[in-house]
Amino acid sequence: MARIFITGSSTGLGLKAGQLLAEKGHDVVLHARNEAREADARQALPEAEAIVIGDLETLAGAKGVGEAVNALGRFDAVIHNAGVYDRTFLETADGLPRMFAVNVLAPYILTAMIARPKRLVYLSSSMHSVPAHLDDPFWKTRRFNGTAAYSESKLHDTLLAFAVARLWPDVFSNAVDPGWVPTNMGGKSAPDSLADGAATQAALAAPEAGSPLADVTGEYLCKLTVRTPDRQSRDMGLQDRLVEICEGLSGLRLEPSAS
């Protein structure tokens, strides 16, 4: 049985992935932004081993979550599920766009901080096929567009997943498009199933014996199938530039695996 930590898992896709994994007997640690969300998560999945509380919106909050996770011991897998969609520009206490802080920088910080697991899963989206705009990731020179900013953040997550797969060949690191599912973000009219939307990341985090997903790394998947991502995501220069930006902001480095 595996031990898995899932960010943004008090509701929605993260919670459903936790429920799917717990049903199979895996040990699951959830994450909630605050105490109210913790109570919701505890009620929804009482068998969860623990629930880490922390707001991923700030550098301090994300680093606090990383410290709390490490205090619980080693994990076999981490699912970077937490994400936000802002229609208007919202700035964090660190002076960053909230979508970049939560959707991109927080997964980087947790990847760099948490004791290296065997498996990492990053949530992407079918909307990730947009220009990377790493020359202006904080929307300083462009007029803000919420949909474009969200789409960029999902491309950045895909870049990060592939960068980690390249830097850490001993870790299985993948990006997942969960589909358009009925969550608070996706809306009640979303056509895809919540369970189907969570199935791929759960299967990657704790693949069953003989699963064709057990050895998959550096890929983009949807509905348990490897798909072709936007070609920019394979650009190692863009991958390195994103890592460089996140390292500069956080002061944390993704140390390459020893050759």
Side-chain angles (χ1 to χ4, degrees):
M1 292 296 101
R3 191 168 186 242
I4 302 106
F5 173 61
I6 309 170
T7 68
S9 45
S10 61
T11 60
L13 281 166
L15 175 61
K16 177 54 68 175
Q19 291 170 332
L20 292 175
L21 289 162
E23 287 170 4
K24 293 182 180 296
H26 300 294
D27 294 325
V28 176
V29 172
L30 301 178
H31 160 252
R33 188 171 68 237
N34 52 42
E35 292 182 356
R37 290 290 183 92
E38 178 198 22
D40 293 340
R42 180 62 67 190
Q43 183 175 9
L45 190 63
E47 60 267 45
E49 176 190 338
I51 301 175
V52 174
I53 302 175
D55 195 337
L56 299 177
E57 180 176 316
T58 65
L59 288 163
K63 289 178 178 180
V65 169
E67 291 170 354
V69 172
N70 282 334
L72 293 173
R74 295 193 71 92
F75 285 81
D76 297 294
V78 175
I79 300 176
H80 294 284
N81 170 82
V84 294
Y85 171 68
D86 296 327
R87 294 184 182 277
T88 59
F89 185 88
L90 297 179
E91 190 172 82
T92 70
D94 301 308
L96 299 171
R98 191 175 76 133
M99 269 196 285
F100 183 90
V102 175
N103 297 5
V104 184
L105 184 57
Y108 175 89
I109 288 172
L110 295 179
T111 300
M113 286 190 66
I114 295 174
R116 197 174 302 185
K118 298 175 184 175
R119 299 180 180 275
L120 288 165
V121 182
Y122 299 83
L123 266 287
S124 183
S125 167
S126 61
M127 298 168 65
H128 80 285
S129 293
V130 295
H133 279 302
L134 290 179
D135 57 332
D136 183 30
F138 312 133
W139 293 82
K140 297 292 187 182
T141 63
R142 294 175 290 157
R143 183 175 180 179
F144 184 78
N145 179 288
T147 299
Y150 177 80
S151 299
E152 282 178 25
S153 75
K154 296 293 100 179
L155 173 60
H156 297 165
D157 285 333
T158 309
L159 285 165
L160 178 58
F162 295 170
V164 172
R166 178 165 55 89
L167 291 169
W168 296 351
D170 51 333
V171 173
F172 298 96
S173 175
N174 294 287
V176 171
D177 166 18
W180 183 8
V181 296
T183 61
N184 291 336
M185 187 186 301
K188 295 180 180 179
S189 62
D192 294 330
S193 150
L194 187 64
D196 288 347
T200 306
Q201 48 268 43
L204 286 169
E208 296 182 0
S211 168
L213 299 185
D215 297 325
V216 171
T217 189
E219 297 291 353
Y220 170 84
L221 298 94
C222 181
K223 297 182 179 178
L224 302 172
T225 303
V226 173
R227 304 289 178 88
T228 302
D230 187 271
R231 60 184 179 79
Q232 294 172 98
S233 63
R234 299 297 188 189
D235 186 322
M236 290 187 289
L238 289 178
Q239 294 171 16
D240 290 343
R241 177 59 183 141
L242 177 64
V243 168
E244 181 183 62
I245 290 169
C246 292
E247 179 181 342
L249 291 168
S250 66
L252 299 169
R253 185 166 185 261
L254 290 183
E255 295 291 346
S257 295
S259 57

